[in-house]
């Protein structure tokens, strides 16, 4: 079929122009993200693996058991999670993929952090203004329905290969739930509570920080949990553009038709996903 | 909220402590690092490319280089190396001048050919050596013995297109069966086990040549091209790292050496296998630096 409109060509022209006119900006972003990812990796890889396993286990246990950490019911709550975390991380280390697992976790941390810096304020804005909501919503729909692989193409173009295009594509892919759930949480705060706040003479700022955000906290944390899990799935795909970590092992497994390799790295990702999910969920329930 | 803060503080303390220990550890490492040279190699997932790349890594690390490997699709490798601020330096498995001629047409102006990792990259129709014919022109006369089939690989491969061309130019009454690399090798193995006649689309370098007694059918019309596995770099790499560039200029493996290296990698893994082979052939590999 003959093309009637050549949308792809115009997008390419636009992206070319962006790349040329702001090349210093892209380079600066690239340097900042590369430096951050490398530094966090260096710190994590200097700490002996068993120290990290102990810290993560204690953190997971405390997140799950909370104030009851030293009481019987707390131990009942947290023990199974702590047990899983220890076994899972030891498995990852024993399979020989500790370094890759650390690299993957770092990418998830950095991407999630950037996604939240943009996502939560946008969510607050979308909750407080109907116009903003009407504009942001379709953009989020587009971001979530566009196949994730597509983001990799312009990302390489702006930031060449490596961890940076992976982080950028991951941020785009994992941002929507942060915006959506923040906005949903704030919109679901009962209006009589807000009115009571106004009646007592609260300022806009106080309404937001003392009433809306605390009451929306559970929903916002559910959003953060979603962002982390989406980021984890995307950093695997990002290996196609040179991002490091467990994803690159999976990618090699696919290309070399190597079942053992692909499965081991996949198992490592499952362990990371379950740990990240359970810890963030436990924090959200408090 | 308080709980989050506590976890945050704990985490910060841990990170700070770690950063502190890492600084005291890496103090001496940093000093050597400033004197250390870095090379970034981009490589696709092809058996011979994996072998070249990991051998180069082992050798360069032996000469105090820090080597970074990034695994990418060939198109991305060509695109990256042609950029002015490329993050990669070298690619050791460019099939030139034929198989990758489209990539070379797009990006070749911004690339430099340093050397050849392997000089005999060939493709063609391959038969076990007990098959008594020697030329593609003789295929029709024995087509029944071959079940009127040529066992091919994936339809995206250059060799697949060239075989269609060969069938046309030699007027062959055989059909190309599209399968995959591993399936082609499996068919070959099975036929050799039963001493049956078979013709497959094959190429060098490939481990099947090390495992079986095979031969190419001669190609008098020159349908199947000859290539080399070229070593290409970004522009300016030879000025930035003259010593490493010299190593890549001299880097060249004979067929038997390459199969030996590939077998070593197959027996363990890329890193260990290449390291082992490097240590066993140190004199040869280190001579490439001089």
């Amino acid at each position: 079929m003959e093309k009637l409109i050549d949308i792809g060509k115009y997008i390419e022209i636009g992206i070319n122009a962006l790349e040329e006119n702001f090349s210093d900006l892209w380079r600066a972003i690239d340097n900042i993200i590369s430096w951050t990812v490398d530094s966090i990796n260096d710190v994590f890889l200097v700490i002996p693996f068993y120290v990290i396993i102990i810290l993560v286990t204690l953190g997971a246990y405390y997140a799950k058991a909370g104030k009851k950490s030293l009481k019987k019911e707390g131990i009942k709550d947290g023990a199974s999670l702590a047990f899983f975390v220890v076994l899972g991380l030891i498995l990852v280390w024993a399979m020989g993929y500790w370094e890759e697992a650390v690299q993957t976790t770092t990418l998830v941390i950095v991407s999630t952090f950037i996604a939240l810096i943009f996502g939560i304020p946008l969510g607050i804005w979308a909750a407080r203004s109907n116009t903003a909501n009407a504009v942001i919503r379709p953009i989020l729909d587009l971001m979530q329905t566009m196949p994730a692989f597509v983001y990799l193409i312009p990302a390489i173009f702006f930031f060449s290969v490596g961890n940076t295009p992976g982080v950028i594509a991951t941020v785009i892919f994992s941002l929507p739930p942060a915006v959506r759930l923040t906005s949903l949480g704030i919109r679901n705060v009962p209006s009589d509570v807000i009115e009571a706040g106004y009646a007592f003479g609260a300022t806009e700022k106080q309404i937001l920080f003392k009433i809306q955000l605390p009451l929306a906290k559970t929903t916002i944390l559910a959003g953060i949990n979603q962002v982390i899990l989406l980021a984890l799935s995307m950093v695997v795909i990002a290996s196609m553009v040179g991002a490091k970590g467990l994803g690159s092992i999976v990618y090699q497994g696919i290309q070399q038709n190597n079942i053992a390799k692909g499965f081991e790295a996949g198992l490592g990702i499952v362990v990371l996903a379950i740990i990240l999910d359970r810890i963030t969920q436990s924090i959200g329930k408090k | 909220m308080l709980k989050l803060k506590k976890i945050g503080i704990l985490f910060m303390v841990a990170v700070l402590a770690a950063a502190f220990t890492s600084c005291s550890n890496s103090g001496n490492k940093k000093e050597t690092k400033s004197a250390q040279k870095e090379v970034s190699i981009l490589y696709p997932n092809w058996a011979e490319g994996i072998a070249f790349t990991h051998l180069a890594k082992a050798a360069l690390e032996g000469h105090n280089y820090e080597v970074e490997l990034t695994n990418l699709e060939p198109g991305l490798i060509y695109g990256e190396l042609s950029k002015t601020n490329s993050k990669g330096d070298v690619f050791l498995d460019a099939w030139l001048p034929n198989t990758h001629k489209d990539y070379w047409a797009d990006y070749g102006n911004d690339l430099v050919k340093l050397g050849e990792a392997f000089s005999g990259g060939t493709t063609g129709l391959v038969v076990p050596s007990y098959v008594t014919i020697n030329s593609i022109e003789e295929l029709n006369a024995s087509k029944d013995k071959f079940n009127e089939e040529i066992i091919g690989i994936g339809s995206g491969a250059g060799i697949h297109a060239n075989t269609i061309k060969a069938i046309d130019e030699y007027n062959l009454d055989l059909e190309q069966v599209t399968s995959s690399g591993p399936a082609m090798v499996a068919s070959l193995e099975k036929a050799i086990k039963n001493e049956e006649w078979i013709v497959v689309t094959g190429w060098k370098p490939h481990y099947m040549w090390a495992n079986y007694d095979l031969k190419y059918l001669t190609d008098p019309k020159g349908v199947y091209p000859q290539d080399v596995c070229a070593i290409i770099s970004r522009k300016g790499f030879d000025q930035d790292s003259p010593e490493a560039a010299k190593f890549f200029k001299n880097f060249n493996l004979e067929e038997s050496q390459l199969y030996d290296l590939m077998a070593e990698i197959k027996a363990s893994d890329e890193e260990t296998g290449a390291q082992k082979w490097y240590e066993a052939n140190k004199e040869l590999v280190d001579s490439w630096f001089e």
Side-chain angles (χ1 to χ4, degrees):
Chain A
M1 146 107 198
E2 194 72 24
K3 272 192 181 179
L4 292 178
I5 8 178
D6 210 346
I7 290 184
K9 203 176 82 186
Y10 294 117
I11 289 179
E12 193 179 347
I13 290 168
I15 286 189
N16 269 320
L18 277 175
E19 203 266 332
E20 277 164 31
N21 294 324
F22 299 102
S23 59
D24 290 348
L25 172 68
W26 309 131
R27 201 159 307 161
I29 294 174
D30 185 4
N31 289 337
I32 293 168
I33 291 179
S34 297
W35 182 84
T36 311
V37 170
D38 290 345
S39 311
I40 297 179
N41 272 335
D42 287 347
V43 168
F44 278 147
L45 289 170
V46 162
I47 310 173
F49 75 94
Y50 48 87
V51 174
I52 294 191
I53 293 184
I54 292 168
L55 283 176
V56 175
T57 309
L58 289 176
Y61 177 78
Y62 184 70
K64 182 96 183 156
K67 284 206 168 51
K68 303 195 284 278
S69 282
L70 301 172
K71 298 197 181 96
K72 234 194 185 127
E73 62 252 54
I75 291 172
K76 209 167 65 187
D77 266 349
S80 58
L81 176 64
F83 190 65
F84 175 83
V85 171
V86 170
L87 280 187
L89 290 179
I90 287 178
L91 174 72
V92 170
W93 171 78
M95 288 192 302
Y97 288 130
W98 182 257
E99 188 179 341
E100 285 83 1
V102 166
Q103 287 167 335
T104 295
T105 313
T106 303
L107 287 174
V108 170
I109 291 172
V110 173
S111 312
T112 304
F113 183 73
I114 299 173
L116 295 180
I117 286 180
F118 288 101
I120 290 180
L122 276 172
I124 294 172
W125 190 37
R128 296 170 67 92
S129 144
N130 283 331
T131 325
N133 193 35
V135 174
I136 290 173
R137 239 157 215 274
I139 297 176
L140 293 181
D141 289 336
L142 181 82
M143 282 162 81
Q144 279 185 296
T145 46
M146 180 73 82
F149 295 90
V150 176
Y151 297 131
L152 296 174
I153 309 167
I156 307 169
F157 198 75
F158 289 129
F159 305 105
S160 64
V161 297
N163 284 327
T164 312
V167 167
I168 299 293
T170 305
V171 168
I172 297 172
F173 181 72
S174 60
L175 181 90
V179 183
R180 278 185 207 280
L181 285 155
T182 304
S183 156
L184 177 77
I186 292 176
R187 279 175 184 268
N188 281 350
V189 171
S191 53
D192 47 359
V193 182
I194 311 257
E195 269 166 40
Y198 281 126
F200 283 106
T203 60
E204 283 291 336
K205 209 167 131 186
Q206 285 171 321
I207 297 278
L208 176 65
F209 284 100
K210 298 237 151 81
I211 299 175
Q212 288 177 317
L213 285 179
L215 285 173
K217 197 185 90 178
T218 318
T219 320
I220 294 174
L221 280 164
I224 294 177
N225 170 280
Q226 287 293 299
V227 171
I228 289 175
L229 292 182
L230 281 179
L232 186 61
S233 65
M234 188 65 202
V235 287
V236 175
I237 296 173
S239 296
M240 294 181 75
V241 293
K244 301 274 182 283
L246 288 167
S248 65
I249 310 286
V250 172
Y251 180 51
Q252 285 172 27
I254 293 170
Q255 287 183 303
Q256 295 167 7
N257 205 353
N258 184 333
I259 298 172
K261 207 180 210 174
F263 229 89
E264 283 179 347
L267 207 58
I269 290 165
V270 169
V271 169
L272 289 187
I274 293 177
I275 292 174
L276 288 169
D277 177 55
R278 293 296 182 277
I279 291 180
T280 45
Q281 267 194 14
S282 311
I283 292 173
K285 286 211 180 75
K286 293 284 172 303
Chain B
M1 252 1 224
L2 205 64
K3 197 153 287 114
L4 270 178
K5 270 198 193 118
K6 266 193 192 154
I7 291 177
I9 288 166
L10 266 177
F11 182 75
M12 291 296 267
V13 168
V15 167
L16 279 176
F20 196 73
T21 50
S22 74
C23 288
S24 53
N25 285 351
S26 62
N28 45 13
K29 208 166 73 182
K30 277 274 185 307
E31 277 159 42
T32 50
K33 203 178 162 174
S34 59
Q36 212 178 29
K37 304 142 289 187
E38 292 177 7
V39 176
S40 157
I41 307 177
L42 311 181
Y43 71 106
N45 237 316
W46 303 324
E48 77 282 351
I50 290 169
F52 302 144
T53 300
H54 284 84
L55 176 60
K57 179 174 190 261
L60 287 165
E61 282 178 345
H63 287 71
N64 287 327
Y65 278 83
E66 200 166 299
V67 182
E68 189 187 12
L69 304 186
T70 307
N71 175 225
L72 292 165
E73 291 295 317
L76 291 179
I77 294 177
Y78 279 99
E80 183 65 30
L81 288 178
S82 68
K83 288 182 182 169
T84 42
N85 56 342
S86 167
K87 283 191 189 153
D89 293 321
V90 200
F91 168 38
L92 289 95
D93 202 10
W95 280 65
L96 297 171
N98 297 300
T99 311
H100 288 175
K101 68 169 179 281
D102 295 350
Y103 291 132
W104 195 255
D106 286 347
Y107 302 110
N109 289 338
D110 301 312
L111 300 169
V112 179
K113 187 181 161 190
L114 290 177
E116 291 173 11
F118 180 75
S119 306
T122 51
T123 58
L125 295 180
V126 176
V127 294
S129 53
Y130 55 75
V131 171
T132 52
I133 64 165
N134 291 311
S135 162
I136 298 181
E137 287 171 325
E138 300 168 58
L139 274 171
N140 277 347
S142 331
K143 63 182 184 196
D144 296 339
K145 283 200 148 187
F146 295 110
N147 291 328
E148 295 176 23
E149 281 176 348
I150 298 170
I151 309 299
I153 58 166
S155 55
I159 194 173
H160 191 274
N162 285 325
T163 302
I164 293 172
K165 213 165 103 188
I167 289 173
D168 183 48
E169 291 206 11
Y170 291 97
N171 286 319
L172 298 176
D173 301 326
L174 292 86
E175 221 178 306
Q176 179 174 211
V177 181
T178 307
S179 70
S180 68
M184 178 273 289
V185 177
S187 313
L188 187 70
E189 280 176 1
K190 208 170 128 196
I192 290 175
K193 220 186 240 159
N194 304 327
E195 289 248 346
E196 287 162 353
W197 282 33
I198 184 169
V199 56
V200 302
T201 61
W203 63 93
K204 278 184 178 184
H206 190 292
Y207 63 88
M208 68 186 191
W209 297 91
N211 296 349
Y212 309 105
D213 204 357
L214 307 168
K215 64 183 180 188
Y216 274 123
L217 293 175
T218 54
D219 175 22
K221 293 186 196 248
V223 175
Y224 291 99
Q226 295 264 340
D227 267 326
V228 298
C229 303
I231 300 176
I232 57 174
S233 76
R234 62 174 169 87
K235 267 199 172 146
F237 173 69
D238 42 356
Q239 283 107 36
D240 299 343
S241 310
E243 192 197 11
K246 189 187 247 172
F247 166 75
F248 286 116
K249 276 177 188 148
N250 296 327
F251 188 113
N252 187 272
L253 289 168
E254 301 283 326
E255 201 175 347
S256 60
Q257 292 167 337
L258 176 59
Y259 293 159
D260 207 29
L261 168 62
M262 282 167 142
E264 203 68 82
I265 285 173
K266 227 178 155 66
S268 52
D269 64 72
E270 297 98 337
E271 298 261 341
T272 355
Q275 189 64 37
K276 238 186 183 153
W277 198 88
Y278 168 55
E279 274 156 24
N281 299 272
K282 220 171 159 62
E283 209 170 311
L284 165 78
V285 179
D286 283 351
S287 75
W288 296 337
F289 282 94
E290 275 129 43

